[in-house]
């Protein structure tokens, strides 16, 4: 395989609606491990994107992921989280901000390790 394709391979993670999946793991397993694990993965991907100069691909992948997460929430709605005390439409933007801030931190730290 070409090295350029191998550098883009980790960004396939963004094809999974990880925002939606972490909310589901939190609800069904009563554990924050889904959210914490997703935050760590997205921070590492932000670091990797900055280090390999793949920031435009990261931005495009985030857009796709946010749209997929909103579509899943729209399609499944209250059937998915029946006993949640608040709307899933409230939780989703907060999680988007949380994951984007983790990626910004990863991008920041990745900037220190760029070869100049």
């Amino acid at each position: 395989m070409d090295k350029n394709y191998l550098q883009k391979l980790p960004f396939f993670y963004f094809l999974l609606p990880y925002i939606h999946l972490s909310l589901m793991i939190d609800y069904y397993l009563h554990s924050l491990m889904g959210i914490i694990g997703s935050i760590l993965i997205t921070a590492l991907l932000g670091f990797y994107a900055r280090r390999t100069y793949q920031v435009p691909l990261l931005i495009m992948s985030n857009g796709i992921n946010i749209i997929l997460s909103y579509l899943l929430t729209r399609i499944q709605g209250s059937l998915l989280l029946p006993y949640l005390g608040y709307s899933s439409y409230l939780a989703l933007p907060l999680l988007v901000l949380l994951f984007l801030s983790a990626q910004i931190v990863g991008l920041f730290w990745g900037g220190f390790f760029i070869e100049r």
Side-chain angles (χ1 to χ4, degrees):
M1 283 187 106
D2 189 17
K3 183 179 178 182
N4 193 19
Y5 290 119
L6 289 176
Q7 285 182 345
K8 294 179 182 176
L9 191 62
F11 295 101
F12 279 115
Y13 175 72
F14 288 108
L15 292 178
L16 295 172
Y18 66 87
I19 299 168
H20 188 75
L21 290 176
S22 64
L23 189 63
M24 293 303 307
I25 291 171
D26 177 38
Y27 177 72
Y28 284 115
L29 298 179
H30 304 289
S31 170
L32 289 175
M33 292 308 296
I35 293 175
I36 293 171
S38 294
I39 288 172
L40 289 175
I41 290 171
T42 55
L44 288 173
L45 282 173
F47 179 86
Y48 177 76
R50 180 70 183 260
R51 181 119 162 83
T52 59
Y53 303 102
Q54 300 287 332
V55 177
L57 182 62
L58 179 73
I59 293 170
M60 182 181 69
S61 301
N62 276 327
I64 291 171
N65 193 315
I66 291 169
I67 290 170
L68 281 175
S69 293
Y70 272 110
L71 284 176
L72 275 175
T73 303
R74 179 79 176 156
I75 290 169
Q76 294 177 342
S78 63
L79 295 175
L80 188 61
L81 302 171
Y83 302 110
L84 196 58
Y86 51 88
S87 172
S88 56
Y89 294 111
L90 174 67
L92 206 58
L94 295 175
L95 285 173
V96 166
L97 289 174
L98 181 67
F99 289 125
L100 289 179
S101 63
Q103 285 180 6
I104 290 171
V105 169
L107 286 169
F108 174 76
W109 284 106
F112 287 118
F113 295 98
I114 292 178
E115 298 155 359
R116 297 171 199 223

